[in-house]
């Protein structure tokens, strides 16, 4: 199962085990079960602190649990945790043994103090790069709080259960049998949903903070670069973000980040956060800013929680989000057939018919990826021709189960009240309306800047992008901006990082020149 390189790396990790760990297997007669047993045997062979036994007691098979011998196991894997979930398994082994997690001590105490019994189930696909964060967060909660149990369920392996629950997007989390949430969720967000008083306490802590020299709004590549450059000047620096990493967290393969041949979004986001924390930057995660109030000496940022932050200079690096179709039925069937991540949700549509909306690079790449999983892909493009690179169009044309329709305007998403059953589009050349029967729709039509909350405060162009000059300055003195939320062309990670650094240097220069 594991090559020699991975075995060597895993062996080094297992040396960190604090207490013995037992893996308890509930097998069946499937190939996956045999692979699972082989994997666990290989892991056990790498450390004398790991043992494996079978008992067949679990309802879902094949599956296995992780815990200490003689104790009730609270972490379960229903499926083979390979691909993106292999890291989840490694962390579960370490943390269940008593190895300390890299989590803020205050957050750990909050998790331990949550009362009640919580049975979590997370349905994932092994190709989903958003799923491991949720799995790892809930596994850690199960380690820290004896009232919490968690099971990772590979949706592709347990298709009957997926169909019965009508799961059409991952990750999706169930708590005590009821849907708890779907999509990427951080540990802080999960805890906040369980601990109802946590939001008020966090807001009070934030409101009590002293003014910052530089306060960055957004934790993507631009925001991280801005924070690092500010902190290196020895000035008081803070970052307030809904989720550190931003849109990078939703990016799979990154092959154009100079000097790094290949990486993946979540890995890069983790590296960015670690680098920022190395400089002692005050990171306020899972916080939404709703208003900027400019001032002569101090600018004020008002948060959704009711807290207020103040700073001498502000750097807006709020990034962008997926553009939606804005047609009837789209909102109703989001995560019920309407999806935005083909890598995450594609495996759930195995053998089914889907549509991809958008003929740019992202749309064509999505269609190519999905064609290897689903029965048929229909790609709809609003323009009269595809806009993707020629090499991608050539690959798309070679696939027998892909139909391309151009000059097509999607006008409605159709469903049966529970899930998507089709869509309606208009042929823009004939003005005729057509209906497509299908089970999934993947929207790939570009990005929108996250600047709605800034309207009327800083100058925006007609696309909603923040207008900046060559130094990253906005129309408000002392307020700067960087990255995908601005008018700078070419929305790329490497460009966003450079713009973030530039905005930070400009903010520092502003403070020097204006004596703030």
């Amino acid at each position: 199962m594991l090559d020699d390189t991975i075995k060597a790396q895993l062996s080094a990790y297992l040396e960190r085990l604090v207490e013995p760990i037992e893996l308890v297997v509930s097998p069946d007669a499937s190939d996956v079960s045999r692979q699972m047993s082989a994997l666990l045997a290989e892991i056990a062979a790498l450390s004398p602190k790991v043992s494996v036994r079978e008992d067949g007691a679990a309802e879902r098979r094949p599956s296995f649990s992780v815990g200490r011998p003689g104790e009730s196991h609270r972490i379960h894997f229903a499926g083979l945790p390979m691909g993106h979930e292999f890291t989840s398994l490694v962390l579960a082994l370490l943390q269940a043994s008593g190895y300390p997690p890299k989590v803020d001590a205050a957050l750990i105490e909050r998790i331990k103090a949550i009362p009640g019994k919580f049975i979590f189930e997370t349905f994932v696909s092994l190709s989903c790069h958003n799923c491991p964060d949720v799995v790892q967060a809930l596994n850690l909660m199960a380690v820290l709080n004896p009232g919490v149990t968690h099971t990772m369920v590979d949706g592709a392996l347990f298709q009957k259960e997926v169909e019965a629950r009508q799961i059409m997007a991952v990750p999706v989390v169930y708590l005590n049998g009821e849907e708890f949430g779907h999509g990427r969720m951080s540990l802080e967000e999960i805890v906040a949903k369980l601990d109802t008083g946590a939001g008020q306490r966090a807001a009070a802590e934030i409101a009590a903070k002293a003014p910052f020299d530089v306060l960055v709004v957004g934790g993507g590549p631009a925001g991280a670069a801005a924070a690092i450059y500010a902190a290196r000047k020895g000035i008081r620096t803070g970052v307030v973000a809904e989720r550190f990493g931003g849109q990078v967290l939703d990016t799979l393969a990154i092959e154009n980040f100079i000097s790094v041949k290949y990486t993946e979004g979540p890995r890069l986001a983790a590296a960015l956060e670690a680098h920022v924390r190395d400089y002692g930057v005050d990171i306020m995660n899972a916080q939404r800013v709703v208003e900027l109030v400019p001032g002569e000496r101090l600018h004020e940022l008002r948060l959704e929680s009711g807290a207020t932050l103040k700073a001498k200079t502000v750097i807006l690096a709020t990034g962008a989000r997926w553009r939606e179709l804005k047609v009837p039925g789209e909102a109703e069937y989001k995560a019920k057939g309407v999806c935005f991540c083909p890598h995450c949700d594609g495996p759930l549509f195995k053998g089914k018919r889907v549509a991809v909306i958008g003929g740019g690079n992202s749309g064509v790449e999505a269609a190519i990826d999905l064609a290897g999983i689903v029965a048929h892909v229909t790609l709809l493009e609003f323009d009269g021709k595809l806009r993707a690179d020629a090499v991608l169009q050539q690959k798309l044309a070679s696939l027998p189960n892909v139909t391309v329709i151009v000059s097509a305007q999607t006008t409605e998403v159709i469903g049966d009240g529970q899930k998507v059953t089709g869509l309606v589009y208009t042929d823009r050349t004939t003005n005729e309306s057509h209906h497509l029967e299908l089970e999934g729709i993947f929207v790939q039509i570009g990005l929108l800047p996250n600047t709605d909350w800034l309207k009327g405060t800083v100058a925006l162009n007609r696309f909603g992008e923040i207008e900046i000059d060559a130094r990253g300055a906005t129309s408000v003195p002392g307020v700067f901006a960087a990255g995908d939320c601005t008018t700078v062309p070419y929305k790329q990670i490497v460009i966003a990082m450079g713009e973030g650094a530039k905005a930070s240097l400009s903010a520092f220069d502003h403070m020097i020149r204006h004596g703030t």
Side-chain angles (χ1 to χ4, degrees), residues 3 47 52 71 73 145 216 225-226 230 247 255 259 283 304 321 332 366 389 406 430 453 480:
D3 62 33
S47 172
V52 182
E71 296 183 359
H73 290 192
N145 188 318
V216 182
Q247 193 190 346
E255 299 175 301
S259 83
I283 298 177
E304 189 175 57
R321 63 189 184 277
E332 180 182 355
D389 295 341
V406 297
T430 65
W453 61 284
F480 301 82

Side-chain angles (χ1 to χ4, degrees), residues 336-375:
K336 296 179 181 179
V338 175
C339 307
F340 295 86
C341 180
H343 301 293
C344 301
D345 302 328
L348 299 176
F349 294 86
K350 184 177 180 179
K352 298 180 179 180
R353 300 159 299 174
V354 304
V356 174
I357 314 298
N361 282 349
S362 60
V364 172
E365 286 173 349
I368 293 170
D369 289 343
L370 290 166
I373 303 171
V374 305

